Amino acid sequence: MSTRDGLGNHQEQFYSKSAIPRPHIVRSEGIRYHDSDGTMYIDANAGAAVANIGPGNERVLQAMVEQGRRMSFSYVRFSRHDPNIELTARIAELAGPGFERIHLANDGSEANEMAIKLLRVAAYQAGKPAKRKVISLTPSYHGGTLGTMGWTGDSEYTAYYGDMMVPSTKIPAPLTYRRPAGLTEDEAGSLAAEHLARAILELGPENVLAFIMEPIGGTATGANVAPASYLRAVREICTRHDVFLVFDEVMSATRTGKFLAAQHTPDARPDAIVIAKGLGAGYVPLAATAVSAELLERLNANGGFDLSHTYNANPISCAAGCAVLDEMTERGLIENGAVMGQELAKQLNGLAEKWPLIGDVRGRGLMVGVEIVADRVTKASLPGAANATVEIRRTAMENGLLIGGRRLNGGAFGEFLMLTPALIINEAEVTEIVERLDLTLATVTKRLQAAGYLSA
């Protein structure tokens, strides 16, 4: 049976047509993809910040095969198995104090929902049934289910799904590049935290269950790093008002030089952390919600949390997850991410001196954002009609570079490129990415100037 109908394969038609082609990838090695036409691309995004240890890893593949032969499926609510026990113990060890209990899921959206559900049950069983309100940031991203879309700070969801979602109360994100004039990042962070305090008081602390945020933003903010002052302030506010603090580390976990981004600010430790993407590293769908032993013991004393999906803690997924963590720890890949992230940021800042299109380079480790602007002094964005990030991504593909980027909320928060290469990257490959981006920006700058969107 043919898989093509002249318009694409049977799944292709679910995706919108775009000015950026979608190559037909047939093979990958390291950070390189090869398409059906023989073209090679460097992947500057590890897929979607997922393929952190690269493709074809024999240790991971062998672990999956061996587990599949031994036992391919066991439903987590009816039984337990060694890969589940081992993986959750490994995650708890790497996450450290305060995250001793691990609930496994299949992706970030599911795990974020599990976190909020778990905390809701904990509050209800503790005699606080009114606590059901969630507060989140704009801009932000927490997933693609109706529940997580309601917490996501992205106006693009509203038209289609607005009446179907249960929206959270949104407060401004602590953006570091577009912060109030005259304030340092820490000063702006402390000021931004006041929005949370006000929102809790307006809703009534007795009604607020949780505040969910990304300590380092992903595709919603272009790797915006929340200032340490902000994280400490929101931790204190949540503690004072008996509100759970949740860190969405679906993208940032393992990428920032530590297993968790939260480990950079241990005095602002959240009540729950959500991990996904790199945990399965593209080999299996895998995610986790981590909470403290104390929190779960209190919950269990009152009836427990008895919720899962069919494939939670799937034995093959758990075996793969253990092998992925073995690769990361034994090969020092998290540490390599810190070193290569510094090199990538240094080289990108060198590009910023050359191309006025670059307004900001930010991030931590191998989670780097590049803000695109029309004017570096005023921080003014290019008009939507310029399609700047689309033009950059399309031209980058012509130069053999796959790179992410977007214009969010109609450009209300600027537009940016995202670079999240695999943790196995070396310095020569970092340089190759930057060289191809340099070539791309040269072409796009000329086009934008010719079209009158950018001063010559």
Side-chain angles (χ1 to χ4, degrees):
M1 180 184 296
S2 172
T3 60
R4 297 177 180 275
D5 59 7
L7 298 174
N9 64 32
H10 296 296
Q11 180 172 310
E12 185 77 18
Q13 299 308 301
F14 286 98
Y15 300 100
S16 301
K17 292 181 179 179
S18 171
I20 306 170
R22 296 172 64 230
H24 183 167
I25 302 299
V26 296
R27 182 168 58 89
S28 58
E29 53 187 6
I31 65 166
R32 301 171 194 275
Y33 284 171
H34 301 265
D35 71 12
S36 56
D37 296 324
T39 303
M40 186 277 288
Y41 305 91
I42 293 179
D43 179 14
N45 290 116
V50 174
N52 287 352
I53 66 170
N57 185 282
E58 285 299 325
R59 170 186 256 166
V60 179
L61 295 174
Q62 190 62 34
M64 294 170 67
V65 169
E66 290 177 0
Q67 182 57 48
R69 287 177 176 150
R70 193 161 44 243
M71 179 184 65
S72 60
F73 182 77
S74 173
Y75 185 37
V76 68
R77 290 175 69 182
F78 294 168
S79 62
R80 61 177 63 136
H81 50 78
D82 288 342
N84 181 358
I85 294 169
E86 182 182 352
L87 178 60
T88 52
R90 294 286 304 281
I91 294 171
E93 179 184 5
L94 289 166
F99 305 109
E100 299 87 2
R101 299 294 179 262
I102 312 298
H103 187 289
L104 296 178
N106 300 304
D107 64 21
S109 301
E110 184 182 306
N112 270 327
E113 282 204 1
M114 282 294 182
I116 297 299
K117 290 172 183 174
L118 186 153
L119 298 175
R120 166 59 183 167
V121 171
Y124 186 91
Q125 292 182 350
K128 304 166 187 176
K131 280 187 171 289
R132 56 174 66 93
K133 299 289 186 182
V134 175
I135 299 173
S136 60
L137 299 173
T138 295
S140 65
Y141 181 80
H142 298 294
T145 63
L146 285 174
T148 54
M149 285 194 292
W151 310 326
T152 291
D154 187 341
S155 60
E156 294 176 12
Y157 284 154
T158 306
Y160 286 120
Y161 307 110
D163 293 341
M164 301 176 70
M165 299 185 298
V166 178
S168 60
T169 295
K170 307 294 194 305
I171 60 175
L175 300 179
T176 56
Y177 179 60
R178 299 186 180 279
R179 64 182 184 268
L183 297 184
T184 65
E185 286 188 7
D186 275 342
E187 290 169 342
S190 297
L191 183 65
E194 294 178 10
H195 292 289
L196 176 62
R198 284 197 295 269
I200 292 173
L201 291 175
E202 288 171 3
L203 292 168
E206 71 280 5
N207 299 315
V208 181
L209 174 68
F211 171 49
I212 184 170
M213 63 163 293
E214 301 161 279
I216 301 180
T219 56
T221 64
N224 181 75
V225 180
S229 61
Y230 179 83
L231 298 177
R232 295 186 184 104
V234 299
R235 173 67 277 177
E236 187 280 325
I237 291 166
C238 287
T239 301
R240 180 176 4 127
H241 293 295
D242 190 27
V243 170
F244 290 116
L245 175 60
V246 181
F247 278 6
D248 177 346
E249 293 212 28
V250 167
M251 185 178 288
S252 60
T254 76
R255 287 207 147 263
T256 69
K258 294 183 182 291
F259 183 66
L260 299 174
Q263 291 168 332
H264 293 283
T265 51
D267 53 347
R269 191 175 70 200
D271 300 291
I273 280 186
V274 176
I275 308 164
K277 290 189 181 289
L279 191 59
Y283 290 86
V284 291
L286 188 61
T289 300
V291 297
S292 70
E294 180 186 7
L295 189 156
L296 201 64
E297 284 163 9
R298 291 200 311 268
L299 190 154
N300 285 336
N302 293 305
F305 181 70
D306 193 21
L307 186 63
S308 67
H309 292 274
T310 303
Y311 281 94
N312 289 172
N314 173 271
I316 296 176
S317 294
C318 289
C322 289
V324 167
L325 292 180
D326 284 342
E327 284 292 288
M328 286 190 183
T329 54
E330 293 179 18
R331 294 173 60 187
L333 296 183
I334 293 175
E335 294 79 5
N336 185 64
V339 175
M340 291 300 104
Q342 290 176 346
E343 179 64 26
L344 178 59
K346 183 182 81 172
Q347 293 196 32
L348 289 171
N349 278 308
L351 277 194
E353 295 177 4
K354 182 176 181 181
W355 301 112
L357 266 177
I358 297 179
D360 189 37
V361 176
R362 55 178 176 262
R364 180 171 280 156
L366 284 176
M367 195 163 171
V368 182
V370 177
E371 182 117 3
I372 302 301
V373 296
D375 189 302
R376 189 180 291 166
V377 175
T378 66
K379 301 182 182 179
S381 298
L382 286 147
N387 287 319
T389 49
V390 170
E391 187 72 4
I392 291 170
R393 292 177 62 199
R394 186 182 62 77
T395 306
M397 185 173 289
E398 293 172 357
N399 292 321
L401 179 65
L402 302 178
I403 189 169
R406 65 184 302 197
R407 179 182 176 87
L408 186 71
N409 283 349
F413 304 101
E415 58 187 322
F416 48 81
L417 306 174
M418 278 291 287
L419 292 92
T420 56
L423 301 179
I424 59 172
I425 196 170
N426 59 42
E427 187 171 340
E429 291 168 334
V430 167
T431 299
E432 195 169 358
I433 286 174
V434 175
E435 287 175 346
R436 293 183 185 222
L437 182 57
D438 183 22
L439 183 63
T440 297
L441 292 177
T443 300
V444 173
T445 295
K446 290 178 182 177
R447 290 175 184 164
L448 292 173
Q449 289 173 338
Y453 293 122
L454 197 64
S455 298

